[in-house]
Amino acid sequence: MKNIFVNGYGSIGSRIVSFLKDDPEISVVGIGKYSPDEKVQEAISKGLDVYVPESKMESFSNYKISGSIESALDKSDLVIDAAPGGHGYKNKKNLYEPKNIPAIYQGGESTIGSEAVSDLLFNSRANYDQALGKYHVMQGSCNVTGMGRILEPLRDKFGDQLVRFDVTLVRRWADIEQTEKKLSDTIEMTEKPHHGDDVKLYFGKDAPLYVRAIKVPTRQMHLHIMDIRFKNNAPKPSEIHDVFTNEFGVATLWTAKGTKDVRDYAQNMGFNFIDTNMIHIHANMTTSIGDTVQMMYSDDQTGIVIPENHMLMQAMLFDKSYQDAFAHTESIFHMKEKKKKLQEHFAKNN
């Protein structure tokens, strides 16, 4: 049994804790909170111990706080940092490194530059073994994780037949539960998006991958439009879909008219946090013309990185093989069952 502390209780932290509580190999020490808001009482009502910075204890006097974050770390074997982007590096320097505690960081951090939290950006499909026994590792963002679930299987199948990938990321404006975030009535262009460089950290720095990004006023997932060029004639759409038949966390859908259709189905089926935790290939949109395949797939935003965090935790804490970690993650998240239900519901009309 290992003790895990989750430092942060927002979109990612709340999801991670929910699944860790179902893991018989893990004991959750508690969660870290930095602001005395309604999320504090929500966590306490769910039976979680809440810890706050030593310097802010008085601000939480209206709540039943279990102690300081510093004291929680003394009881922990690993911390999953779910703080807002940029705070992870500060936490590493001020908290984790002084106490010699392994830590997982989220996609808002960096693996390059003076404020790098790690020299490894994790994607279970690409570099699981590199995380074995490491002390500080960054989990890729939802878009970066999603591209890995598509790119790596394509590279495995087609190898040097591939010439280049051009990807347009259509990003959601905010997560569903971030109701305080107003959706602006605009399509926002992202100059020099980090996603392509991040993917190249595991896909290869010289990979022929080109990424542009826009942000649109929706909370209903991301959508990626990917053009894949081949040396010769491109494979048929059916050959592309066949690549993902047995892929973890990739469902092939035919009749979803939009991302909200998928989210509504997840809600109707009672999926936790109405997440699918996966990529959804919109198979009716896949086309093959000449040397190019165009495909579209939606990315379950925050939900997609939660099983990845679970895989990464097993590599760092338990030194598990990929196969053992995969089997254990599947027992917690039931990804195969979700995939089957999604594919049956959005099956091709005969």
Side-chain angles (χ1 to χ4, degrees):
M1 180 76 71
K2 296 289 187 178
N3 297 321
I4 304 293
F5 180 65
V6 180
N7 197 5
Y9 194 65
S11 296
I12 289 180
S14 58
R15 285 168 164 82
I16 288 173
V17 168
S18 175
F19 285 102
L20 286 181
K21 288 176 71 177
D22 294 333
D23 189 333
E25 298 179 354
I26 295 299
S27 175
V28 178
V29 173
I31 60 106
K33 275 290 294 172
Y34 290 77
S35 302
D37 54 32
E38 70 278 357
K39 298 286 282 186
V40 177
Q41 191 55 49
E42 175 189 313
I44 293 172
S45 68
K46 291 182 178 179
L48 295 168
D49 289 338
V50 176
Y51 296 84
V52 304
E54 185 74 50
S55 61
K56 292 186 176 183
M57 293 288 283
E58 290 186 9
S59 301
F60 291 82
S61 58
N62 292 332
Y63 301 98
K64 187 178 179 181
I65 301 303
S66 296
S68 69
I69 288 174
E70 292 83 350
S71 68
L73 294 175
D74 290 334
K75 312 173 197 174
S76 304
D77 296 302
L78 178 143
V79 58
I80 298 178
D81 188 282
H87 290 274
Y89 176 76
K90 297 174 185 176
N91 290 338
K92 176 184 179 181
K93 291 300 179 183
N94 298 329
L95 295 171
Y96 313 145
E97 282 189 334
K99 291 181 178 291
N100 199 34
I101 296 176
I104 293 172
Y105 306 88
Q106 305 307 313
E109 304 301 324
S110 178
T111 59
I112 57 175
S114 60
E115 296 190 352
V117 294
S118 173
D119 60 358
L120 178 64
L121 186 145
F122 180 76
N123 183 283
S124 67
R125 186 61 176 77
N127 59 11
Y128 177 87
D129 287 347
Q130 292 180 37
L132 294 171
K134 283 189 73 75
Y135 254 63
H136 297 278
V137 183
M138 177 178 156
Q139 166 60 49
S141 70
C142 41
N143 285 292
V144 172
T145 297
M147 278 192 277
R149 290 196 189 173
I150 295 296
L151 292 171
E152 284 293 333
L154 288 173
R155 181 160 64 176
D156 287 351
K157 173 65 175 178
F158 298 109
D160 61 7
Q161 297 177 55
L162 297 164
V163 173
R164 64 181 282 165
F165 301 88
D166 292 276
V167 188
T168 300
L169 307 183
V170 184
R171 301 170 55 214
R172 60 93 179 93
W173 201 275
D175 285 322
I176 291 174
E177 60 269 26
Q178 291 177 313
T179 53
E180 77 284 358
K181 272 195 174 184
K182 182 181 177 182
L183 301 187
S184 298
D185 186 14
T186 184
I187 297 174
E188 184 178 281
M189 290 76 73
T190 304
E191 188 176 355
K192 297 178 181 178
H194 67 87
H195 309 86
D197 290 337
D198 283 357
V199 170
K200 288 181 181 181
L201 291 172
Y202 61 77
F203 199 55
K205 64 182 179 64
D206 296 323
L209 172 69
Y210 305 91
V211 177
R212 63 176 70 89
I214 59 175
K215 190 160 65 171
V216 299
T218 181
R219 302 178 192 274
Q220 306 287 350
M221 305 190 191
H222 306 289
L223 181 73
H224 297 178
I225 304 170
M226 182 179 288
D227 293 326
I228 310 156
R229 287 184 58 191
F230 292 78
K231 282 184 179 178
N232 301 304
N233 286 339
K236 297 176 182 177
S238 60
E239 294 177 77
I240 297 295
H241 298 157
D242 286 347
V243 171
F244 300 95
T245 300
N246 297 313
E247 278 294 325
F248 171 74
V250 182
T252 301
L253 315 182
W254 285 91
T255 57
K257 293 183 174 64
T259 53
K260 191 174 185 299
D261 283 0
V262 183
R263 182 72 73 203
D264 286 350
Y265 179 71
Q267 183 171 26
N268 292 339
M269 294 304 295
F271 294 171
N272 276 11
F273 294 93
I274 61 174
D275 293 338
T276 68
N277 306 117
M278 64 182 69
I279 287 294
H280 324 97
I281 295 174
H282 296 278
N284 56 305
M285 302 300 293
T286 306
T287 59
S288 179
I289 303 174
D291 65 354
T292 303
V293 168
Q294 183 184 79
M295 64 186 300
M296 297 186 189
Y297 58 90
S298 50
D299 178 311
D300 189 33
Q301 57 207 72
T302 310
I304 200 171
V305 304
I306 309 306
E308 288 289 300
N309 270 270
H310 193 257
M311 291 282 287
L312 176 53
M313 175 198 70
Q314 293 178 83
M316 293 173 68
L317 265 188
F318 298 102
D319 283 335
K320 286 187 180 181
S321 68
Y322 176 85
Q323 291 75 17
D324 287 347
F326 176 86
H328 188 52
T329 295
E330 175 61 25
S331 73
I332 303 292
F333 288 86
H334 308 293
M335 300 284 278
K336 290 180 181 177
E337 180 183 349
K338 290 178 182 176
K339 176 173 178 169
K340 184 173 183 289
K341 288 179 178 178
L342 282 162
Q343 292 186 158
E344 288 177 349
H345 183 77
F346 294 104
K348 188 175 184 178
N349 293 325
N350 294 324

